[in-house]
Amino acid sequence: RDLLKMPELGATPPDYGILRSAGSRKYPSKNHCVYAVETEPRIHALLTRLHDDRLTSRLPGEAKQAVLYISHRSADAELRDEPLVKELIGAAPEAAFYACDVRGIGESQPNTCGADQFLRPYGSHYFYAGHSLMLDRPLLGQRTFDVLRVIQVLIAAGHQEVHLAGKGWGALPAALAALLSSDVRQVTLKNALTSFGDVAGSENYQWPYAIMLPDVLKHFDLPDCYAEIQSRKLQLIEPWSAMDGMN
């Protein structure tokens, strides 16, 4: 928590808005609804709930387990195209399925530095990562905070446990949130970074500045985190090295 520079979660779950459906998006369910979870004042994580019935109101929490998928680049695209999504739904058809874009990802991706500048050198992803470090709140910590706040919303809605999944960039805040939340009972990480040490030891690496955590190697590395959550039925699928993070 100290390295992530996260504020206190508090006992009260955040508010959320219910967004109007944009119609069929060819997701693996008949219907869906998107919720804007205000994880901090004026900052939202976008949460998509898949459901066969039409959803136009508050989060239904009838299922004991919630599967929460943290996207790599876009929950919208990955709900259609990512094989892991279909595997997670098929493995637990009785569970409620949610996909989440944390701040700055997918539906909340900014164009602060100009259109289509997100991944370019000194584009908006770098811009916000740099400013976050200047303000002593690394972006990885902010995104981990988003995941923890969304988990609070799911538990408050009536779900009793969370299967937390993440892909690529989303696997990092998912892993760190699993460390910090007792409501997470199962963890699945696809294309998770092997270690911060691999990035530090590579002259050329492909992971964005936004995943960097200052001073982390003085204290721990990602394999330590993975070992700590091994008891949560951890699945590590196709880990990515330092050279894979821009895929």
Side-chain angles (χ1 to χ4, degrees), residues 123-189:
S124 56
H125 207 199
Y126 176 88
F127 177 88
Y128 282 105
H131 277 73
S132 295
L133 294 182
M134 290 168 64
L135 296 170
D136 199 28
R137 283 201 65 197
L139 193 52
L140 180 57
Q142 294 182 50
R143 289 173 172 171
T144 302
F145 186 76
D146 287 346
V147 177
L148 291 170
R149 293 289 272 168
V150 168
I151 290 172
Q152 284 186 305
V153 168
L154 299 183
I155 296 301
H159 302 300
Q160 299 174 39
E161 60 184 56
V162 175
H163 176 180
L164 187 53
K167 173 181 166 62
W169 298 349
L172 281 99
L176 294 168
L179 276 173
L180 299 171
S181 174
S182 60
D183 294 312
V184 176
R185 307 294 175 83
Q186 188 172 348
V187 184
T188 301
L189 305 175

Short mmCIF file of all heavy atoms in Angstrom, two decimals, residues 123-189:
data_model
loop_
_atom_site.label_atom_id
_atom_site.label_comp_id
_atom_site.label_asym_id
_atom_site.label_seq_id
_atom_site.Cartn_x
_atom_site.Cartn_y
_atom_site.Cartn_z
N GLY A 123 3.03 10.46 -25.66
CA GLY A 123 1.59 10.56 -25.85
C GLY A 123 0.87 10.58 -24.51
O GLY A 123 1.47 10.67 -23.44
N SER A 124 -0.47 10.45 -24.56
CA SER A 124 -1.27 10.66 -23.35
C SER A 124 -1.02 9.62 -22.27
O SER A 124 -1.09 9.93 -21.08
CB SER A 124 -2.75 10.70 -23.70
OG SER A 124 -3.15 9.53 -24.38
N HIS A 125 -0.71 8.36 -22.64
CA HIS A 125 -0.44 7.35 -21.61
C HIS A 125 0.82 7.72 -20.83
O HIS A 125 0.85 7.66 -19.60
CB HIS A 125 -0.30 5.97 -22.26
CG HIS A 125 -0.66 4.84 -21.36
ND1 HIS A 125 -0.26 3.55 -21.56
CD2 HIS A 125 -1.43 4.80 -20.23
CE1 HIS A 125 -0.75 2.77 -20.62
NE2 HIS A 125 -1.45 3.50 -19.79
N TYR A 126 1.84 8.14 -21.56
CA TYR A 126 3.08 8.60 -20.91
C TYR A 126 2.82 9.89 -20.13
O TYR A 126 3.33 10.06 -19.01
CB TYR A 126 4.14 8.84 -21.98
CG TYR A 126 5.43 9.40 -21.45
CD1 TYR A 126 6.45 8.57 -20.99
CD2 TYR A 126 5.64 10.78 -21.39
CE1 TYR A 126 7.64 9.09 -20.49
CE2 TYR A 126 6.82 11.31 -20.89
CZ TYR A 126 7.82 10.46 -20.45
OH TYR A 126 8.98 10.98 -19.96
N PHE A 127 2.03 10.79 -20.70
CA PHE A 127 1.73 12.08 -20.08
C PHE A 127 1.13 11.88 -18.68
O PHE A 127 1.58 12.47 -17.70
CB PHE A 127 0.76 12.83 -20.99
CG PHE A 127 0.28 14.15 -20.48
CD1 PHE A 127 0.98 15.32 -20.71
CD2 PHE A 127 -0.92 14.24 -19.78
CE1 PHE A 127 0.52 16.55 -20.25
CE2 PHE A 127 -1.39 15.45 -19.31
CZ PHE A 127 -0.68 16.62 -19.54
N TYR A 128 0.11 11.03 -18.59
CA TYR A 128 -0.55 10.82 -17.30
C TYR A 128 0.33 10.02 -16.34
O TYR A 128 0.31 10.25 -15.13
CB TYR A 128 -1.91 10.17 -17.50
CG TYR A 128 -2.95 11.15 -17.96
CD1 TYR A 128 -3.38 11.17 -19.27
CD2 TYR A 128 -3.47 12.10 -17.08
CE1 TYR A 128 -4.32 12.10 -19.71
CE2 TYR A 128 -4.40 13.03 -17.50
CZ TYR A 128 -4.82 13.04 -18.81
OH TYR A 128 -5.74 13.97 -19.24
N ALA A 129 1.09 9.07 -16.87
CA ALA A 129 2.01 8.31 -16.01
C ALA A 129 3.05 9.24 -15.40
O ALA A 129 3.37 9.16 -14.21
CB ALA A 129 2.67 7.20 -16.81
N GLY A 130 3.61 10.14 -16.23
CA GLY A 130 4.61 11.07 -15.74
C GLY A 130 4.06 12.03 -14.70
O GLY A 130 4.68 12.26 -13.66
N HIS A 131 2.89 12.59 -14.97
CA HIS A 131 2.29 13.50 -14.01
C HIS A 131 1.91 12.79 -12.71
O HIS A 131 2.00 13.37 -11.62
CB HIS A 131 1.06 14.18 -14.62
CG HIS A 131 1.40 15.37 -15.47
ND1 HIS A 131 1.98 15.25 -16.71
CD2 HIS A 131 1.26 16.70 -15.23
CE1 HIS A 131 2.17 16.46 -17.21
NE2 HIS A 131 1.75 17.36 -16.34
N SER A 132 1.51 11.55 -12.82
CA SER A 132 1.17 10.78 -11.61
C SER A 132 2.40 10.61 -10.72
O SER A 132 2.30 10.72 -9.48
CB SER A 132 0.60 9.42 -11.99
OG SER A 132 -0.63 9.57 -12.68
N LEU A 133 3.55 10.35 -11.32
CA LEU A 133 4.77 10.22 -10.53
C LEU A 133 5.17 11.55 -9.92
O LEU A 133 5.63 11.62 -8.78
CB LEU A 133 5.90 9.66 -11.39
CG LEU A 133 5.72 8.21 -11.88
CD1 LEU A 133 6.94 7.76 -12.66
CD2 LEU A 133 5.48 7.26 -10.70
N MET A 134 5.01 12.63 -10.67
CA MET A 134 5.32 13.96 -10.14
C MET A 134 4.44 14.29 -8.93
O MET A 134 4.88 14.97 -7.99
CB MET A 134 5.13 15.01 -11.23
CG MET A 134 6.16 14.95 -12.35
SD MET A 134 5.70 15.97 -13.77
CE MET A 134 5.70 17.61 -13.05
N LEU A 135 3.21 13.81 -8.95
CA LEU A 135 2.28 14.05 -7.85
C LEU A 135 2.35 12.97 -6.77
O LEU A 135 1.53 12.95 -5.86
CB LEU A 135 0.85 14.15 -8.40
CG LEU A 135 0.61 15.34 -9.35
CD1 LEU A 135 -0.74 15.21 -10.03
CD2 LEU A 135 0.70 16.66 -8.60
N ASP A 136 3.32 12.06 -6.91
CA ASP A 136 3.56 10.99 -5.93
C ASP A 136 2.38 10.05 -5.79
O ASP A 136 2.06 9.57 -4.72
CB ASP A 136 3.94 11.57 -4.56
CG ASP A 136 4.64 10.55 -3.68
OD1 ASP A 136 5.30 9.64 -4.23
OD2 ASP A 136 4.52 10.65 -2.43
N ARG A 137 1.70 9.78 -6.93
CA ARG A 137 0.62 8.79 -6.96
C ARG A 137 0.75 7.99 -8.23
O ARG A 137 0.10 8.29 -9.24
CB ARG A 137 -0.76 9.45 -6.89
CG ARG A 137 -1.16 9.93 -5.51
CD ARG A 137 -2.67 10.08 -5.41
NE ARG A 137 -3.34 8.80 -5.56
CZ ARG A 137 -4.63 8.66 -5.83
NH1 ARG A 137 -5.39 9.73 -6.00
NH2 ARG A 137 -5.19 7.46 -5.95
N PRO A 138 1.63 6.98 -8.26
CA PRO A 138 1.85 6.22 -9.50
C PRO A 138 0.55 5.69 -10.08
O PRO A 138 -0.36 5.27 -9.36
CB PRO A 138 2.79 5.09 -9.07
CG PRO A 138 2.80 5.09 -7.59
CD PRO A 138 2.38 6.44 -7.13
N LEU A 139 0.48 5.74 -11.41
CA LEU A 139 -0.75 5.36 -12.10
C LEU A 139 -1.14 3.91 -11.81
O LEU A 139 -2.32 3.58 -11.73
CB LEU A 139 -0.58 5.58 -13.61
CG LEU A 139 -1.82 5.53 -14.48
CD1 LEU A 139 -2.92 6.45 -13.96
CD2 LEU A 139 -1.48 5.89 -15.92
N LEU A 140 -0.16 3.04 -11.63
CA LEU A 140 -0.47 1.65 -11.29
C LEU A 140 -1.22 1.58 -9.96
O LEU A 140 -2.16 0.78 -9.80
CB LEU A 140 0.81 0.81 -11.23
CG LEU A 140 0.64 -0.67 -10.88
CD1 LEU A 140 -0.30 -1.37 -11.85
CD2 LEU A 140 1.99 -1.37 -10.85
N GLY A 141 -0.84 2.40 -9.01
CA GLY A 141 -1.55 2.45 -7.73
C GLY A 141 -2.96 2.98 -7.89
O GLY A 141 -3.91 2.48 -7.26
N GLN A 142 -3.13 3.98 -8.75
CA GLN A 142 -4.47 4.53 -8.99
C GLN A 142 -5.38 3.48 -9.63
O GLN A 142 -6.56 3.36 -9.29
CB GLN A 142 -4.37 5.75 -9.89
CG GLN A 142 -3.64 6.93 -9.26
CD GLN A 142 -3.61 8.13 -10.19
OE1 GLN A 142 -4.64 8.54 -10.73
NE2 GLN A 142 -2.44 8.71 -10.38
N ARG A 143 -4.82 2.72 -10.56
CA ARG A 143 -5.63 1.70 -11.24
C ARG A 143 -5.94 0.53 -10.31
O ARG A 143 -7.02 -0.07 -10.39
CB ARG A 143 -4.92 1.25 -12.51
CG ARG A 143 -4.94 2.33 -13.58
CD ARG A 143 -4.10 2.02 -14.79
NE ARG A 143 -4.34 3.01 -15.84
CZ ARG A 143 -3.63 3.11 -16.96
NH1 ARG A 143 -2.64 2.26 -17.20
NH2 ARG A 143 -3.91 4.04 -17.85
N THR A 144 -5.01 0.19 -9.43
CA THR A 144 -5.29 -0.83 -8.42
C THR A 144 -6.40 -0.36 -7.49
O THR A 144 -7.29 -1.14 -7.12
CB THR A 144 -4.01 -1.14 -7.62
OG1 THR A 144 -2.98 -1.58 -8.51
CG2 THR A 144 -4.27 -2.22 -6.58
N PHE A 145 -6.37 0.91 -7.14
CA PHE A 145 -7.43 1.50 -6.31
C PHE A 145 -8.78 1.38 -7.01
O PHE A 145 -9.79 1.04 -6.38
CB PHE A 145 -7.09 2.96 -6.03
CG PHE A 145 -8.03 3.64 -5.07
CD1 PHE A 145 -7.95 3.40 -3.70
CD2 PHE A 145 -8.99 4.54 -5.52
CE1 PHE A 145 -8.81 4.04 -2.80
CE2 PHE A 145 -9.85 5.17 -4.64
CZ PHE A 145 -9.77 4.92 -3.29
N ASP A 146 -8.83 1.64 -8.33
CA ASP A 146 -10.07 1.47 -9.08
C ASP A 146 -10.62 0.06 -8.94
O ASP A 146 -11.82 -0.13 -8.73
CB ASP A 146 -9.83 1.76 -10.57
CG ASP A 146 -9.63 3.24 -10.87
OD1 ASP A 146 -9.92 4.08 -10.01
OD2 ASP A 146 -9.17 3.54 -12.00
N VAL A 147 -9.75 -0.94 -9.07
CA VAL A 147 -10.19 -2.33 -8.97
C VAL A 147 -10.77 -2.61 -7.58
O VAL A 147 -11.83 -3.23 -7.44
CB VAL A 147 -9.04 -3.31 -9.29
CG1 VAL A 147 -9.50 -4.75 -9.11
CG2 VAL A 147 -8.53 -3.10 -10.72
N LEU A 148 -10.10 -2.13 -6.56
CA LEU A 148 -10.58 -2.35 -5.19
C LEU A 148 -11.93 -1.68 -4.95
O LEU A 148 -12.80 -2.22 -4.27
CB LEU A 148 -9.54 -1.85 -4.20
CG LEU A 148 -8.24 -2.65 -4.14
CD1 LEU A 148 -7.19 -1.92 -3.30
CD2 LEU A 148 -8.48 -4.05 -3.57
N ARG A 149 -12.11 -0.50 -5.52
CA ARG A 149 -13.38 0.21 -5.36
C ARG A 149 -14.51 -0.51 -6.12
O ARG A 149 -15.65 -0.59 -5.62
CB ARG A 149 -13.25 1.65 -5.85
CG ARG A 149 -12.33 2.50 -5.00
CD ARG A 149 -12.95 2.81 -3.64
NE ARG A 149 -13.76 4.02 -3.70
CZ ARG A 149 -14.60 4.39 -2.74
NH1 ARG A 149 -14.77 3.62 -1.68
NH2 ARG A 149 -15.29 5.52 -2.85
N VAL A 150 -14.21 -1.04 -7.28
CA VAL A 150 -15.21 -1.80 -8.02
C VAL A 150 -15.60 -3.06 -7.25
O VAL A 150 -16.78 -3.43 -7.19
CB VAL A 150 -14.69 -2.14 -9.43
CG1 VAL A 150 -15.59 -3.18 -10.10
CG2 VAL A 150 -14.61 -0.89 -10.29
N ILE A 151 -14.62 -3.71 -6.63
CA ILE A 151 -14.92 -4.88 -5.80
C ILE A 151 -15.87 -4.50 -4.68
O ILE A 151 -16.82 -5.24 -4.36
CB ILE A 151 -13.62 -5.50 -5.25
CG1 ILE A 151 -12.83 -6.16 -6.39
CG2 ILE A 151 -13.93 -6.53 -4.16
CD1 ILE A 151 -11.46 -6.63 -5.99
N GLN A 152 -15.66 -3.34 -4.06
CA GLN A 152 -16.58 -2.88 -3.02
C GLN A 152 -18.01 -2.77 -3.55
O GLN A 152 -18.97 -3.14 -2.86
CB GLN A 152 -16.14 -1.53 -2.49
CG GLN A 152 -14.95 -1.55 -1.53
CD GLN A 152 -14.68 -0.18 -0.96
OE1 GLN A 152 -14.51 0.79 -1.70
NE2 GLN A 152 -14.66 -0.08 0.35
N VAL A 153 -18.16 -2.26 -4.76
CA VAL A 153 -19.48 -2.12 -5.37
C VAL A 153 -20.13 -3.49 -5.58
O VAL A 153 -21.32 -3.68 -5.30
CB VAL A 153 -19.38 -1.36 -6.71
CG1 VAL A 153 -20.68 -1.46 -7.50
CG2 VAL A 153 -19.03 0.10 -6.46
N LEU A 154 -19.35 -4.45 -6.05
CA LEU A 154 -19.90 -5.78 -6.31
C LEU A 154 -20.36 -6.46 -5.02
O LEU A 154 -21.42 -7.10 -4.99
CB LEU A 154 -18.85 -6.65 -7.01
CG LEU A 154 -18.36 -6.16 -8.39
CD1 LEU A 154 -17.38 -7.16 -8.99
CD2 LEU A 154 -19.53 -5.93 -9.33
N ILE A 155 -19.57 -6.32 -3.97
CA ILE A 155 -19.95 -6.92 -2.69
C ILE A 155 -21.18 -6.23 -2.12
O ILE A 155 -22.11 -6.88 -1.61
CB ILE A 155 -18.77 -6.86 -1.70
CG1 ILE A 155 -17.58 -7.70 -2.22
CG2 ILE A 155 -19.20 -7.35 -0.32
CD1 ILE A 155 -17.89 -9.16 -2.44
N ALA A 156 -21.24 -4.90 -2.24
CA ALA A 156 -22.40 -4.16 -1.74
C ALA A 156 -23.66 -4.52 -2.52
O ALA A 156 -24.77 -4.47 -1.99
CB ALA A 156 -22.14 -2.65 -1.83
N ALA A 157 -23.51 -4.91 -3.80
CA ALA A 157 -24.66 -5.29 -4.62
C ALA A 157 -25.25 -6.63 -4.20
O ALA A 157 -26.38 -6.96 -4.56
CB ALA A 157 -24.27 -5.33 -6.09
N GLY A 158 -24.46 -7.45 -3.47
CA GLY A 158 -24.97 -8.73 -3.00
C GLY A 158 -24.11 -9.93 -3.33
O GLY A 158 -24.37 -11.03 -2.84
N HIS A 159 -23.08 -9.76 -4.17
CA HIS A 159 -22.17 -10.87 -4.44
C HIS A 159 -21.33 -11.14 -3.20
O HIS A 159 -20.97 -10.23 -2.46
CB HIS A 159 -21.28 -10.55 -5.63
CG HIS A 159 -22.04 -10.23 -6.88
ND1 HIS A 159 -22.90 -11.13 -7.48
CD2 HIS A 159 -22.08 -9.11 -7.65
CE1 HIS A 159 -23.43 -10.58 -8.55
NE2 HIS A 159 -22.96 -9.36 -8.68
N GLN A 160 -21.00 -12.41 -2.99
CA GLN A 160 -20.29 -12.79 -1.78
C GLN A 160 -18.80 -13.02 -1.98
O GLN A 160 -18.03 -13.02 -1.02
CB GLN A 160 -20.93 -14.05 -1.19
CG GLN A 160 -22.39 -13.86 -0.80
CD GLN A 160 -23.04 -15.16 -0.36
OE1 GLN A 160 -22.42 -15.97 0.33
NE2 GLN A 160 -24.28 -15.36 -0.76
N GLU A 161 -18.39 -13.26 -3.21
CA GLU A 161 -16.98 -13.49 -3.49
C GLU A 161 -16.68 -13.10 -4.93
O GLU A 161 -17.58 -13.04 -5.77
CB GLU A 161 -16.61 -14.95 -3.25
CG GLU A 161 -17.37 -15.93 -4.11
CD GLU A 161 -17.03 -17.37 -3.78
OE1 GLU A 161 -17.18 -17.76 -2.60
OE2 GLU A 161 -16.62 -18.11 -4.72
N VAL A 162 -15.39 -12.85 -5.20
CA VAL A 162 -14.98 -12.36 -6.51
C VAL A 162 -13.89 -13.26 -7.08
O VAL A 162 -12.92 -13.59 -6.39
CB VAL A 162 -14.46 -10.91 -6.41
CG1 VAL A 162 -13.91 -10.44 -7.76
CG2 VAL A 162 -15.57 -9.98 -5.94
N HIS A 163 -14.08 -13.65 -8.34
CA HIS A 163 -13.02 -14.27 -9.13
C HIS A 163 -12.43 -13.14 -9.97
O HIS A 163 -13.07 -12.64 -10.89
CB HIS A 163 -13.59 -15.38 -10.01
CG HIS A 163 -12.58 -16.00 -10.92
ND1 HIS A 163 -12.90 -17.03 -11.80
CD2 HIS A 163 -11.25 -15.77 -11.13
CE1 HIS A 163 -11.83 -17.39 -12.48
NE2 HIS A 163 -10.82 -16.62 -12.11
N LEU A 164 -11.23 -12.71 -9.64
CA LEU A 164 -10.60 -11.56 -10.28
C LEU A 164 -9.69 -12.05 -11.40
O LEU A 164 -8.79 -12.86 -11.18
CB LEU A 164 -9.82 -10.77 -9.25
CG LEU A 164 -9.22 -9.43 -9.67
CD1 LEU A 164 -10.28 -8.52 -10.27
CD2 LEU A 164 -8.57 -8.75 -8.46
N ALA A 165 -9.94 -11.54 -12.61
CA ALA A 165 -9.14 -11.92 -13.77
C ALA A 165 -8.59 -10.66 -14.42
O ALA A 165 -9.20 -9.59 -14.35
CB ALA A 165 -9.98 -12.71 -14.77
N GLY A 166 -7.42 -10.78 -15.05
CA GLY A 166 -6.85 -9.64 -15.75
C GLY A 166 -5.98 -10.10 -16.89
O GLY A 166 -5.42 -11.20 -16.84
N LYS A 167 -5.89 -9.26 -17.91
CA LYS A 167 -5.08 -9.58 -19.07
C LYS A 167 -4.08 -8.45 -19.33
O LYS A 167 -4.45 -7.27 -19.28
CB LYS A 167 -5.95 -9.77 -20.31
CG LYS A 167 -5.15 -9.94 -21.62
CD LYS A 167 -6.07 -10.11 -22.82
CE LYS A 167 -5.31 -9.94 -24.13
NZ LYS A 167 -4.25 -10.95 -24.33
N GLY A 168 -2.83 -8.80 -19.64
CA GLY A 168 -1.84 -7.81 -20.04
C GLY A 168 -1.65 -6.71 -19.03
O GLY A 168 -1.36 -6.96 -17.86
N TRP A 169 -1.85 -5.47 -19.48
CA TRP A 169 -1.73 -4.35 -18.55
C TRP A 169 -2.68 -4.51 -17.37
O TRP A 169 -2.36 -4.14 -16.24
CB TRP A 169 -2.04 -3.04 -19.25
CG TRP A 169 -1.13 -2.69 -20.39
CD1 TRP A 169 0.05 -3.30 -20.74
CD2 TRP A 169 -1.33 -1.65 -21.36
NE1 TRP A 169 0.59 -2.70 -21.86
CE2 TRP A 169 -0.24 -1.70 -22.26
CE3 TRP A 169 -2.32 -0.70 -21.55
CZ2 TRP A 169 -0.13 -0.80 -23.32
CZ3 TRP A 169 -2.21 0.18 -22.62
CH2 TRP A 169 -1.11 0.13 -23.48
N GLY A 170 -3.88 -5.05 -17.62
CA GLY A 170 -4.86 -5.22 -16.56
C GLY A 170 -4.51 -6.28 -15.55
O GLY A 170 -5.06 -6.31 -14.45
N ALA A 171 -3.56 -7.17 -15.90
CA ALA A 171 -3.16 -8.23 -14.96
C ALA A 171 -2.41 -7.66 -13.77
O ALA A 171 -2.43 -8.26 -12.69
CB ALA A 171 -2.31 -9.27 -15.68
N LEU A 172 -1.74 -6.52 -13.94
CA LEU A 172 -0.97 -5.96 -12.83
C LEU A 172 -1.86 -5.39 -11.73
O LEU A 172 -1.72 -5.78 -10.56
CB LEU A 172 0.04 -4.93 -13.34
CG LEU A 172 1.28 -5.58 -13.94
CD1 LEU A 172 1.17 -5.62 -15.46
CD2 LEU A 172 2.53 -4.85 -13.53
N PRO A 173 -2.79 -4.47 -12.03
CA PRO A 173 -3.68 -4.02 -10.97
C PRO A 173 -4.55 -5.14 -10.41
O PRO A 173 -4.91 -5.12 -9.23
CB PRO A 173 -4.52 -2.92 -11.62
CG PRO A 173 -4.38 -3.12 -13.08
CD PRO A 173 -3.02 -3.72 -13.28
N ALA A 174 -4.87 -6.14 -11.25
CA ALA A 174 -5.65 -7.27 -10.75
C ALA A 174 -4.86 -8.05 -9.71
O ALA A 174 -5.37 -8.41 -8.65
CB ALA A 174 -6.06 -8.18 -11.91
N ALA A 175 -3.59 -8.33 -10.00
CA ALA A 175 -2.75 -9.08 -9.05
C ALA A 175 -2.57 -8.31 -7.75
O ALA A 175 -2.66 -8.89 -6.65
CB ALA A 175 -1.40 -9.38 -9.68
N LEU A 176 -2.33 -7.02 -7.86
CA LEU A 176 -2.10 -6.21 -6.65
C LEU A 176 -3.39 -6.05 -5.85
O LEU A 176 -3.36 -6.06 -4.61
CB LEU A 176 -1.52 -4.86 -7.05
CG LEU A 176 -0.12 -4.93 -7.66
CD1 LEU A 176 0.27 -3.59 -8.29
CD2 LEU A 176 0.92 -5.36 -6.63
N ALA A 177 -4.52 -5.90 -6.54
CA ALA A 177 -5.79 -5.82 -5.82
C ALA A 177 -6.11 -7.13 -5.10
O ALA A 177 -6.66 -7.13 -4.00
CB ALA A 177 -6.92 -5.46 -6.79
N ALA A 178 -5.75 -8.26 -5.73
CA ALA A 178 -5.98 -9.55 -5.09
C ALA A 178 -5.19 -9.67 -3.79
O ALA A 178 -5.65 -10.29 -2.82
CB ALA A 178 -5.61 -10.68 -6.04
N LEU A 179 -4.00 -9.07 -3.77
CA LEU A 179 -3.21 -9.07 -2.54
C LEU A 179 -3.92 -8.34 -1.40
O LEU A 179 -3.76 -8.68 -0.23
CB LEU A 179 -1.87 -8.37 -2.78
CG LEU A 179 -0.72 -9.16 -3.38
CD1 LEU A 179 0.43 -8.21 -3.69
CD2 LEU A 179 -0.25 -10.25 -2.43
N LEU A 180 -4.69 -7.32 -1.77
CA LEU A 180 -5.21 -6.38 -0.77
C LEU A 180 -6.69 -6.57 -0.45
O LEU A 180 -7.21 -5.87 0.42
CB LEU A 180 -4.99 -4.94 -1.27
CG LEU A 180 -3.52 -4.56 -1.51
CD1 LEU A 180 -3.43 -3.20 -2.20
CD2 LEU A 180 -2.75 -4.54 -0.20
N SER A 181 -7.37 -7.50 -1.12
CA SER A 181 -8.80 -7.68 -0.88
C SER A 181 -9.10 -9.10 -0.44
O SER A 181 -8.82 -10.06 -1.16
CB SER A 181 -9.59 -7.37 -2.16
OG SER A 181 -10.95 -7.68 -1.98
N SER A 182 -9.72 -9.24 0.70
CA SER A 182 -10.10 -10.56 1.20
C SER A 182 -11.33 -11.10 0.48
O SER A 182 -11.67 -12.28 0.64
CB SER A 182 -10.38 -10.49 2.71
OG SER A 182 -11.43 -9.57 2.98
N ASP A 183 -12.00 -10.26 -0.31
CA ASP A 183 -13.17 -10.71 -1.05
C ASP A 183 -12.79 -11.48 -2.32
O ASP A 183 -13.65 -12.12 -2.92
CB ASP A 183 -14.05 -9.51 -1.44
CG ASP A 183 -14.67 -8.84 -0.23
OD1 ASP A 183 -15.24 -9.56 0.61
OD2 ASP A 183 -14.57 -7.60 -0.12
N VAL A 184 -11.53 -11.40 -2.72
CA VAL A 184 -11.06 -12.11 -3.90
C VAL A 184 -10.70 -13.54 -3.50
O VAL A 184 -9.79 -13.76 -2.70
CB VAL A 184 -9.85 -11.41 -4.53
CG1 VAL A 184 -9.31 -12.22 -5.70
CG2 VAL A 184 -10.24 -10.00 -4.99
N ARG A 185 -11.40 -14.52 -4.07
CA ARG A 185 -11.19 -15.92 -3.71
C ARG A 185 -10.50 -16.71 -4.81
O ARG A 185 -10.05 -17.82 -4.57
CB ARG A 185 -12.54 -16.58 -3.39
CG ARG A 185 -13.37 -15.84 -2.37
CD ARG A 185 -12.74 -15.84 -0.98
NE ARG A 185 -13.50 -15.02 -0.05
CZ ARG A 185 -14.58 -15.45 0.59
NH1 ARG A 185 -15.03 -16.68 0.38
NH2 ARG A 185 -15.22 -14.66 1.42
N GLN A 186 -10.44 -16.13 -6.01
CA GLN A 186 -9.82 -16.82 -7.14
C GLN A 186 -9.21 -15.77 -8.06
O GLN A 186 -9.76 -14.68 -8.23
CB GLN A 186 -10.86 -17.66 -7.89
CG GLN A 186 -10.30 -18.56 -8.97
CD GLN A 186 -11.34 -19.50 -9.55
OE1 GLN A 186 -12.43 -19.64 -8.99
NE2 GLN A 186 -11.04 -20.15 -10.66
N VAL A 187 -8.06 -16.11 -8.66
CA VAL A 187 -7.34 -15.15 -9.50
C VAL A 187 -6.88 -15.85 -10.79
O VAL A 187 -6.29 -16.93 -10.74
CB VAL A 187 -6.12 -14.55 -8.78
CG1 VAL A 187 -5.45 -13.49 -9.65
CG2 VAL A 187 -6.50 -13.97 -7.43
N THR A 188 -7.15 -15.22 -11.92
CA THR A 188 -6.67 -15.69 -13.22
C THR A 188 -5.99 -14.53 -13.93
O THR A 188 -6.61 -13.48 -14.13
CB THR A 188 -7.82 -16.22 -14.09
OG1 THR A 188 -8.49 -17.29 -13.40
CG2 THR A 188 -7.30 -16.74 -15.42
N LEU A 189 -4.72 -14.72 -14.29
CA LEU A 189 -3.95 -13.66 -14.94
C LEU A 189 -3.40 -14.18 -16.26
O LEU A 189 -2.69 -15.19 -16.29
CB LEU A 189 -2.79 -13.21 -14.05
CG LEU A 189 -3.15 -12.75 -12.63
CD1 LEU A 189 -1.88 -12.45 -11.85
CD2 LEU A 189 -4.07 -11.54 -12.67
#
